[in-house]
Each structure stands twice: as C-alpha cells, then as structure tokens.
Amino acid sequence: MAVNKKLMPETKIDIKLEDTYGQLPAAMYSRVMPTKVKAPALVLFNHKLAAELGLPAHEAALAAWEQILAGNAVPEGWQPLAMAYQGHQFGYPNMLGDGRALLLGELLKLDGQRVDIQLKGAGLTPYSRRGDGRAALGSMLREYLYSEALHGLGIPTTRSLAVVATGQPVFREKMEAGAVLTRIAASHIRVGTFEYAVNNLSLAEYQQFLQYTIKRHYPALTDAPAEGQALAFLQAVMERQASLVAQWMGVGFIHGVMNTDNMSIAGQTIDYGPCAFMNTYHPNTVFSSIDTGGRYAYGQQPGIAHWNLAVLAGTLLPLIHENEEQATVKAQETLQEFPRMYLQAWMQVMRNKLGLAERQQDDKALVIDLLDWMQANAADYTNTFVHLQLTELPLLPAYQQDDFKLWYQRWRQRTEEQPGGIAAARKIMQQHNPQYIARNYLVEEALQQATELADLKPLMQLLDILSQPYQQQAVADKYTQPPTGGDAGYKTFCNT
C-alpha cells in the first residue's frame, strides 16, 4: 500500500541511540535484528513528535526513515533487542516477551529525558511463541490514532512516530496488509517485566534491575534508605497508576486488556489493542471481543489496577525484607493505600469536569448522583459535561426530568458559592471536558478508508481534530455526535 508521495534519494540518518537496557543481565532480553520486508512504504510520519525528539524529518530524511522504521536498515551502532517479560493475562500467568517488537535503542530528547524507540511488527523473536512476528496495517493505524488522541487529551501515553506498510500480507481474521509501527515510550518496563525478573535473576541481579528502574523513572528515590527503597518504589508506582486510571475514567477511555504485561512502570498508557471510548455512560461497558466476562470493563479499571499492583508488590517481596512474612505485611499495608490514592485522584478529575474549584464534603455525592442519572437515561458521557458548560442546556427530554433539574440546581448553587461563580466554573470545565473524543464509528470509518481505499484524508482529519480536543473547532457536527442507536454490538479486537 504505497500511499506516500515519491521520496527524494535516501540520506543517511546519523542518530546515536544508547543501550542502557542492554547492560542489564542477559536473561532480560535477546539480541535480534528486524526481519526485512518486501516493499516498505511510509504511510504516516509524526512530524511534531519528530521535532520534539530532535529527529530530522525533512523530505530527504524520510527516505532513510522509511527503510529504518520498516526494519530493512539498522544504522551503525544501534543494537536492537527483544525484551523478556511475563504477565498475568485475564488473571492467569504466562511467559511472554516481545513476540513482534524490537527495541531499537534509547534516545536522549532535547529536554534530556530518555525514551525508547521500538518497532512493533518487526518480525519473529525468541518470544514469538506461535505468532508471526508481524502486525496488520489497520491495528497499527489504530494504535497511532489512539495514542495521539490520549496525548491530545493530556493523558500520559506512549506516542507513535510512524507507520510503514510492509508490502506483505498478514493473516488475522482475514488477509490484511502488513505494517510496522514505531512507538516512543518512557520505557517498556512493565509489571510483567518484574514478574519475569524475580523468577529469572539472582537476588543481586534483581536488586540491580530495581535500581535501574528507579534511576530511570523515579530518580528522587535513589537517595532513599536502601531498606525502604522497594516499598517507596511500590508507592510511587501506585500514585502514578491511580492518577493515570482516574484520567482514563474522566474521559470515558476503556483500555480493554489491562493484563500485567500491559501496565507500564512509568505510568503511561501502553499497548493499544481492543481499546475504545465509551459513548453512552454505563460502568459495565466493555467492547473487547475477548473480554467475555467483563473483567476489563470501564468501571472495573480501578480495581484491576489495584490487582495488578498487588502482583507487582508480590514480586518485590524479596527486596522489601529478607523475612517473607514481614515483607508481606509491609507490602499489604502499602497496597491498602491505593483505594484512597485513586479516590483522591478521581475526585479531582471529576471536580475539574464540574468546575468545582474547592473541595466540599458533599462533592462525591454530587458526582455519583450525576453518574447515576446518566446511567438511568443512557446519556452520552462526553456530551453531558460539554452541555453543562453552556449558558442554556439543550432541549433534550432527559434534561427536563425533575430529578435532573434538582441535581442541576444543587450543582449551580455549589458553583455560585465559590469565587467567580459559574463563569469561573465554566473556565475550569472548558479545560477539562473534551469537545471531541475518538468516537468508535468515526475511528472505524477512517480506518476502513485508509486500509481498503488507501485514502488517509478521514484519518488525518480525525487526528487533527483530536490533537486539540478541548477547543471548539469549525468541523462537521458528526465529530461530536454519538453513533445512531448507541454502541450496541460494537466489538474491538486485539489483532495479534
């Protein structure tokens, strides 16, 4: 699928990547070169992200990136590797690892932050199991879109630098065009990485791995007393996950497959498989075709985060205390703090969405009563908060109900009592309630046009809109409208 314009003659990419992960014990990874593809064609390239990373993105450089990011060329000095890790998938442990991904190396950004550059769909690795090591164009475009959508919303996430078509088919539910995604992440260390490390490293090596992770993601802890470092690390990861999931909940995002191998230690959203945004509000909303029991439904996400963190805590026991019983007590005491952490983070998200500048005792009841009304009336989650910002509510039947009018009066009284009144409240709301989300039917339409008709215009327009989701834009009304008939029957797929 050659949808890119003709590129200029290839130029050399002279970028140094570091390899600190490759200095860890050899059991943590396997050195693997990407498998070359037949006919690479650059489909998408994220010029804004490239600028943030300090990467050349002029037209001549794109010819070189096309080869590198397809896996057909590896610049001198780069040392690709596939990371080993385990994971609890739907509650059951498995040996996993990068079955179709390769870490090209680590880049120091212009601001000094270290990030991973990873190819997804780059061919077979020792961890591919029964997989083909490849990825489908549609699913890579989906990850590009969703990761950039969450970035636009201000939610911590991995980023997408490029999608390159391979010119080779892959078979999933049907034959599809193949592609390679380039993913940028703070790192690819997961809860599942710790599950693997504790089972495959000596105690000294495992301590080295923890120190590496702390130095990379929680440098403030490097000065903490050694005997309390593992617990301090667990608490720091808990705080980031509480904040992350609260932000997901605030915009109606459903990750879809919160296995422990899909929880980033850095606190970023990672691994966009069967993810989606909720339209009609209901806590039991689930779209993933493989989540038949609703384990990873919208309303289950905080509890699953807690469960995953308990798994992380279990891996840290040998580093918390030499006595397993004492280590377990300390870990459990720390884990008990998560519900409080999450509630505090979620309530701040919801206060912002309602324009509440100050904390009051009845805030939680005000939020819960609104959500209960939304569920009873099958209200659109995103649009309800947008409508509350208006000087006059739309003439919708649900807003004429007595129970909503009573709630609305309570909320208006609450906002008028705070400094600046409703005007100040609306300013807060406008900064925290997106006008636009990646609505499922719009995503499917854009992906269908891109994969079946080689027409990227709908996808590019959607990406452009989602890059500024909090700003009213001069676009068609369809970008704010929920699907006709709701999301009944809508399914998403892992595509692995």
Side-chain angles (χ1 to χ4, degrees), residues 83-89 94-99 127 129 261:
M83 299 171 69
Y85 52 85
Q86 294 174 209
H88 276 74
Q89 298 184 305
N94 281 300
M95 174 59 204
L96 301 167
D98 286 335
Y127 315 112
R129 302 179 297 283
D261 55 294

Side-chain angles (χ1 to χ4, degrees), residues 252-493:
F253 178 74
I254 305 170
H255 184 279
V257 60
M258 288 177 66
N259 296 331
T260 57
D261 55 294
N262 292 338
M263 178 178 273
S264 162
I265 290 297
Q268 292 183 318
T269 311
I270 192 170
D271 286 330
Y272 293 84
C275 60
F277 281 86
M278 175 178 63
N279 290 294
T280 301
Y281 176 78
H282 199 293
N284 293 337
T285 302
V286 59
F287 296 118
S288 172
S289 63
I290 61 175
D291 191 7
T292 55
R295 177 181 173 88
Y296 300 136
Y298 170 76
Q300 296 293 335
Q301 292 180 134
I304 289 297
H306 196 188
W307 193 95
N308 289 349
L309 290 163
V311 173
L312 176 63
T315 72
L316 294 171
L317 292 180
L319 303 179
I320 292 174
H321 198 281
E322 59 184 10
N323 181 288
E324 184 175 354
E325 184 175 342
Q326 292 188 45
T328 300
V329 170
K330 290 177 179 291
Q332 288 176 340
E333 289 175 348
T334 301
L335 283 168
Q336 287 172 2
E337 297 179 32
F338 182 79
R340 175 194 57 78
M341 289 180 182
Y342 172 75
L343 179 60
Q344 184 177 37
W346 179 72
M347 279 304 305
Q348 187 55 54
V349 166
M350 301 308 289
R351 285 190 188 95
N352 288 337
K353 292 180 74 66
L354 291 175
L356 308 181
E358 302 171 340
R359 296 182 183 183
Q360 289 193 12
Q361 189 172 2
D362 64 345
D363 287 351
K364 184 177 179 181
L366 190 68
V367 171
I368 295 299
D369 288 349
L370 175 63
L371 295 178
D372 287 345
W373 171 85
M374 291 171 67
Q375 179 177 339
N377 289 275
D380 184 81
Y381 183 75
T382 299
N383 286 349
T384 297
F385 290 102
V386 172
H387 292 161
L388 289 174
Q389 297 172 192
L390 303 175
T391 54
E392 292 186 10
L393 289 170
L395 296 176
L396 298 175
Y399 293 152
Q400 309 309 314
Q401 295 177 3
D402 290 339
D403 55 350
F404 177 79
K405 290 180 178 179
L406 289 172
W407 179 90
Y408 189 77
Q409 289 173 3
R410 287 165 55 201
W411 172 69
R412 284 298 300 266
Q413 181 177 352
R414 173 78 167 79
T415 58
E416 292 294 359
E417 290 173 351
Q418 66 186 27
I422 187 63
R426 288 193 176 112
K427 287 183 178 180
I428 297 173
M429 296 172 74
Q430 289 164 4
Q431 296 172 354
H432 294 91
N433 290 313
Q435 301 276 336
Y436 311 96
I437 58 169
R439 292 192 182 271
N440 305 323
Y441 74 102
L442 295 176
V443 171
E444 298 302 331
E445 287 176 3
L447 292 176
Q448 183 179 24
Q449 289 288 108
T451 56
E452 297 182 10
L453 301 177
D455 179 8
L456 287 177
K457 289 181 181 178
L459 181 64
M460 297 303 292
Q461 183 175 15
L462 186 55
L463 279 166
D464 187 55
I465 292 167
L466 295 175
S467 70
Q468 300 182 80
Y470 298 102
Q471 298 181 20
Q472 186 72 44
Q473 302 177 47
V475 296
D477 289 342
K478 72 174 184 177
Y479 290 102
T480 63
Q481 297 303 312
T484 303
D487 278 316
Y490 180 71
K491 293 292 182 185
T492 56
F493 302 88

Side-chain angles (χ1 to χ4, degrees), residues 20 161 171 179 259 399:
T20 64
L161 178 63
F171 183 79
N259 296 331
Y399 293 152

